[in-house]
Amino acid sequence: MEKKSVFQSAIERGVSRRDFLKMCTALAATMGLEFSQTDKVVNAMETKEKVPVIWLQFQDCTGCSESFIRSSHPTTESVVLDLISLEYSEVLSAASGHQVEEAMEAVIEHYKGKYILATEGSIPEDGIYCMVGGKPANEIYERVAKNALAVIAYGSCSAWGGIAGAKPNPTNAKPVTAFDSGDTPVMIVPGCPPISEVMTGVIAHYLTFGILPELDGFGRPKAFYKHRIHDKCNRRAYFDAGLFVESFDDEASKQGYCLYKVGCKGPTTYNSCMEMRWNGGTSMPILSGNPCIGCSEDGFWDAGSFTERLADIPLPQKIATVDPAVIGGVVTGVATAAVVAHGAATAVKKNIDDKKNTHEDH
Amino acid sequence: MKKKGLMDHIFGAHNYEDFYNPKRQAKIKDLGDGKVKVLVWELPVRIWHWVNFLAIIVLMFTGLYIALAFSSARFETHATDFLMGWLRWVHFVTGFVFMAALLFRIYWTFVGNRYTTFDIYKPGFIRGLWESLKFYIFLPNKKPHTIGHNALAQFAYWIFFGLCSIILSITGLYMFFEPQQGTHFMMNTYILGWVPHVFGNSVKLHIWHQGAAWGTMIFMVAHIYLAFREDYLVRE
Ligand code: HEM
Ligand code: SF4
């Protein structure tokens, strides 16, 4: 396998140096670096080899791959062709069948401890529900992960269990972090799907600095997951003012008021949709009038209705959920009623006892 | 004298006053006439009680507004509109008062008179619990005329009030600092970093917080009622 720097392979593809520098600047911005650090990115791209990547899909919908190939800064073609060499991907590899499985084996052998494993989808606890090339998912994952430099778990399914892991979870799906990756560090990039620029940004970060970006307590890259949607929201002024949309298409929604009461999960969701937006910065759900559904949060699929706030006290063995305010209100009401009844009973009993006592006295 | 066995230790102690710490006596005033007035609740405890009461009323109201946002939308708006902002601000400030009061009360458990402590581990507690329960369900009972809270009340205080207060404070603090996610304060395992790993992610924290808030509410309904009932039945 040939060893070329990112710059070399870009130039060979007919990219001008000017465009190459532009790409580096865009990358630096995506990663949240200061402009003065752009030269670090340029330097890395000029000197470092492309990283081999194995992209494994498990119980997924290919949505993450779909998001990935829509990256605009940098464009996927420049990521795939210049930054990384995508050695194995069910969606993008030209080869198929035994051929591509052999290619994967070759990567594991040649680049032991030097390639990145990207995963998409959850893994069923007993891999039998998800077999690729005749092997169960958990075995494939553990083998490829143990020999990798790092694992990047793309999407909420890989990161938390996601849709396949939602109740009643018939396949006992688990996030990749539930499986053994040996000493290989795992970074999760949740979202359903994650934002494409975030997906490419974390790879670019690795390429530039040679290490994974700084992670938070859950293993998410801080640069992209340290803010809540709610704290960056363009409707936040309406939230603070107490002006809320009550139902879709009412006057308040036409005014662009806050979507809190129609179930916005912005206050409990960490992601960078507000800053990065979607489809090359075009828009994002709240901007177009739809409440955030909290897709990058653990268990978002089980967190009740998308259009109700906090409707997620799970009822045992059922998929239905209820609002804690309803339960709380009902229980407090019942307690008050019980107290009134108990009070009445106390008064009656005391009366009887008092009468009895007076009776006995005489 | 018969040696006390374990069961005696747990179920014995017929003199229920026994299980209060004998060292921390409450002040006793002689009223003459053979009557005494026992100052069970020291002044700091009384002040704590009413500060806490007011704080909870304020927190519950503002908290419910945060949860349900029950004001309806207006269309004549002003730059100064800040309803949710204000109520959240009041909630947070009162929340810190509540937490300070809680810390004080925990401290007072150790230095206050013997009625301010918990006695769960003392002999006779379980028997006291049972007799008090019978008192409340109208069975003939030997509920001792304890000074201070009876065993059942103490138990309820422990479970409902203490636990709910602690859950409210921890989840409340975490949610309060959520906009500063990623700072050392939030990430540090020893400060607040552990909170989401115990209670779950942000959504779950809100649910815990609200659940504990309702727990406090239910406690209050029962507590106020039982205080009046005690007064009504055992006025002596
Ligand atoms: C008796 C004590 C308390 C009661 C009854 C109470 C009640 C509530 C309720 C009902 C909510 C709404 C939950 C939701 O639906 O999201 C809430 C939210 C909140 N509370 Fe409390 N709370 C109490 C103490 C505290 C304390 C000690 C703090 C600490 C500062 C605190 C901070 C918060 C925060 C930060 C929120 C979230 C606000 C938001 O999402 O905008 N609370 N509280
Ligand atoms: S629309 Fe959602 S994220 Fe934006 S301010 Fe309202 S609740 Fe917060």
Side-chain angles (χ1 to χ4, degrees):
Chain A
M1 282 173 215
E2 89 265 57
K3 296 194 172 180
K4 271 184 215 155
S5 76
V6 176
F7 177 64
Q8 271 172 329
S9 79
I11 295 294
E12 269 172 32
R13 273 204 310 126
V15 174
S16 67
R17 172 142 183 100
R18 187 184 169 80
D19 281 342
F20 171 76
L21 289 178
K22 273 194 210 162
M23 184 188 98
C24 293
T25 315
L27 264 180
T30 304
M31 287 187 276
L33 301 179
E34 287 167 30
F35 180 68
S36 59
Q37 285 190 296
T38 310
D39 60 340
K40 271 202 190 138
V41 180
V42 177
N43 190 19
M45 300 301 156
E46 278 175 347
T47 53
K48 294 204 176 142
E49 278 173 43
K50 306 206 273 186
V51 253
V53 172
I54 294 181
W55 186 301
L56 293 179
Q57 285 178 252
F58 302 115
Q59 301 193 117
D60 69 332
C61 68
T62 317
C64 299
S65 298
E66 287 286 344
S67 177
F68 186 72
I69 60 178
R70 275 159 187 75
S71 179
S72 52
H73 308 287
T75 57
T76 315
E77 50 164 24
S78 66
V79 174
V80 175
L81 297 171
D82 302 336
L83 291 184
I84 64 175
S85 68
L86 194 58
E87 302 287 345
Y88 179 94
S89 154
E90 285 172 22
V91 172
L92 299 174
S93 292
S96 64
H98 292 298
Q99 229 184 339
V100 74
E101 296 297 326
E102 272 159 29
M104 183 168 95
E105 290 303 320
V107 175
I108 297 178
E109 227 169 77
H110 281 85
Y111 293 99
K112 208 179 174 94
K114 285 190 193 132
Y115 63 90
I116 287 182
L117 166 61
T119 64
E120 180 180 352
S122 59
I123 302 177
E125 182 131 66
D126 27 304
I128 201 84
Y129 294 110
C130 180
M131 312 267 287
V132 184
K135 279 181 240 147
N138 51 346
E139 275 175 30
I140 305 177
Y141 172 76
E142 289 186 358
R143 200 171 101 73
V144 182
K146 276 175 189 159
N147 293 308
L149 174 94
V151 177
I152 304 180
Y154 283 130
S156 289
C157 294
S158 251
W160 311 117
I163 314 276
K167 277 183 216 149
N169 192 357
T171 65
N172 205 2
K174 295 259 162 72
V176 297
T177 44
F179 298 85
D180 187 11
S181 67
D183 294 332
T184 316
V186 182
M187 166 170 68
I188 63 172
V189 183
C192 192
I195 305 168
S196 47
E197 283 78 12
V198 171
M199 299 176 80
T200 46
V202 290
I203 295 188
H205 185 286
Y206 168 72
L207 215 66
T208 307
F209 297 104
I211 48 167
L212 286 179
E214 200 186 349
L215 305 181
D216 69 9
F218 288 109
R220 301 175 290 200
K222 270 193 202 173
F224 301 110
Y225 292 91
K226 70 168 174 244
H227 295 302
R228 284 190 306 178
I229 301 291
H230 190 55
D231 294 320
K232 294 262 168 173
C233 181
N234 66 322
R235 298 185 187 230
R236 180 58 185 266
Y238 287 120
F239 173 85
D240 286 335
L243 298 170
F244 301 103
V245 172
E246 305 279 335
S247 68
F248 295 106
D249 293 334
D250 66 358
E251 180 55 26
S253 75
K254 285 176 192 137
Q255 299 286 337
Y257 287 0
C258 165
L259 300 162
Y260 192 62
K261 287 175 82 172
V262 286
C264 184
K265 306 289 188 295
T268 50
T269 303
Y270 292 86
N271 207 338
S272 38
C273 305
M274 263 303 161
E275 299 100 312
M276 317 274 289
R277 302 192 183 173
W278 283 82
N279 298 323
T282 312
S283 187
M284 56 83 70
I286 292 171
L287 282 184
S288 46
N290 197 74
C292 166
I293 64 172
C295 75
S296 56
E297 286 296 315
D298 188 6
F300 87 98
W301 199 258
D302 289 330
S305 161
F306 288 159
T307 52
E308 264 169 65
R309 208 185 93 76
L310 286 200
D312 87 330
I313 290 188
L315 300 175
Q317 296 306 313
K318 288 209 187 114
I319 308 173
T321 53
V322 239
D323 191 330
V326 174
I327 296 190
V330 169
V331 175
T332 311
V334 169
T336 314
V339 153
V340 171
H342 196 273
T346 306
V348 171
K349 185 165 187 287
K350 185 171 164 101
N351 257 339
I352 295 173
D353 287 355
D354 284 356
K355 260 190 209 143
K356 229 195 270 166
N357 288 347
T358 5
H359 214 70
E360 276 160 14
D361 284 352
H362 288 279
Chain B
M1 209 178 111
K2 207 179 129 223
K3 231 181 130 201
K4 273 193 181 176
L6 179 69
M7 293 319 269
D8 285 324
H9 194 66
I10 297 173
F11 296 107
H14 281 277
N15 178 6
Y16 293 91
E17 283 293 299
D18 274 3
F19 67 74
Y20 288 112
N21 189 336
K23 278 188 207 126
R24 298 200 222 139
Q25 292 287 352
K27 279 189 201 124
I28 298 180
K29 243 194 228 163
D30 197 344
L31 298 178
D33 242 8
K35 283 187 186 164
V36 288
K37 187 177 177 190
V38 186
L39 293 175
V40 174
W41 306 119
E42 298 150 291
L43 185 63
V45 176
R46 285 167 193 266
I47 294 176
W48 166 79
H49 182 267
W50 293 107
V51 167
N52 214 25
F53 172 75
L54 288 177
I56 292 172
I57 297 295
V58 172
L59 283 164
M60 199 65 215
F61 175 76
T62 51
L64 278 183
Y65 182 77
I66 296 170
L68 304 171
F70 37 71
S71 63
S72 52
R74 290 153 290 129
F75 300 104
E76 271 172 48
T77 57
H78 305 279
T80 49
D81 284 347
F82 199 56
L83 183 59
M84 178 62 96
W86 275 120
L87 291 181
R88 286 177 80 238
W89 188 83
V90 171
H91 191 87
F92 303 155
V93 171
T94 321
F96 280 98
V97 171
F98 176 83
M99 284 186 289
L102 181 65
L103 283 181
F104 164 77
R105 187 62 183 78
I106 292 172
Y107 162 72
W108 204 256
T109 319
F110 296 103
V111 301
N113 71 22
R114 55 187 184 164
Y115 303 112
T116 60
T117 57
F118 301 113
D119 304 294
I120 276 187
Y121 46 87
K122 302 261 175 66
F125 183 83
I126 291 180
R127 191 189 193 96
L129 198 68
W130 175 234
E131 293 299 332
S132 311
L133 188 66
K134 287 203 284 193
F135 170 65
Y136 292 117
I137 55 175
F138 309 115
L139 288 177
N141 62 79
K142 293 192 232 116
K143 173 176 172 283
H145 184 88
T146 39
I147 301 175
H149 292 302
N150 65 51
L152 184 65
Q154 276 197 33
F155 194 64
Y157 278 40
W158 249 117
I159 297 300
F160 253 118
F161 199 61
L163 208 63
C164 284
S165 300
I166 289 169
I167 293 177
L168 278 164
S169 304
I170 292 170
T171 55
L173 256 191
Y174 189 88
M175 293 191 296
F176 180 76
F177 285 106
E178 268 194 304
Q180 279 99 297
Q181 188 67 249
T183 57
H184 179 71
F185 189 55
M186 289 297 278
M187 298 297 300
N188 191 306
T189 327
Y190 301 106
I191 308 180
L192 285 176
W194 56 274
V195 176
H197 297 284
V198 173
F199 291 95
N201 65 4
S202 196
V203 182
K204 305 238 164 58
L205 281 166
H206 280 257
I207 305 261
W208 272 104
H209 194 79
Q210 218 192 90
W214 285 109
T216 316
M217 226 45 214
I218 292 162
F219 168 81
M220 263 171 86
V221 171
H223 173 67
I224 294 171
Y225 165 65
L226 293 180
F228 279 116
R229 184 178 191 262
E230 181 89 12
D231 229 28
Y232 174 63
L233 288 184
V234 235
R235 207 179 297 132
E236 278 152 68

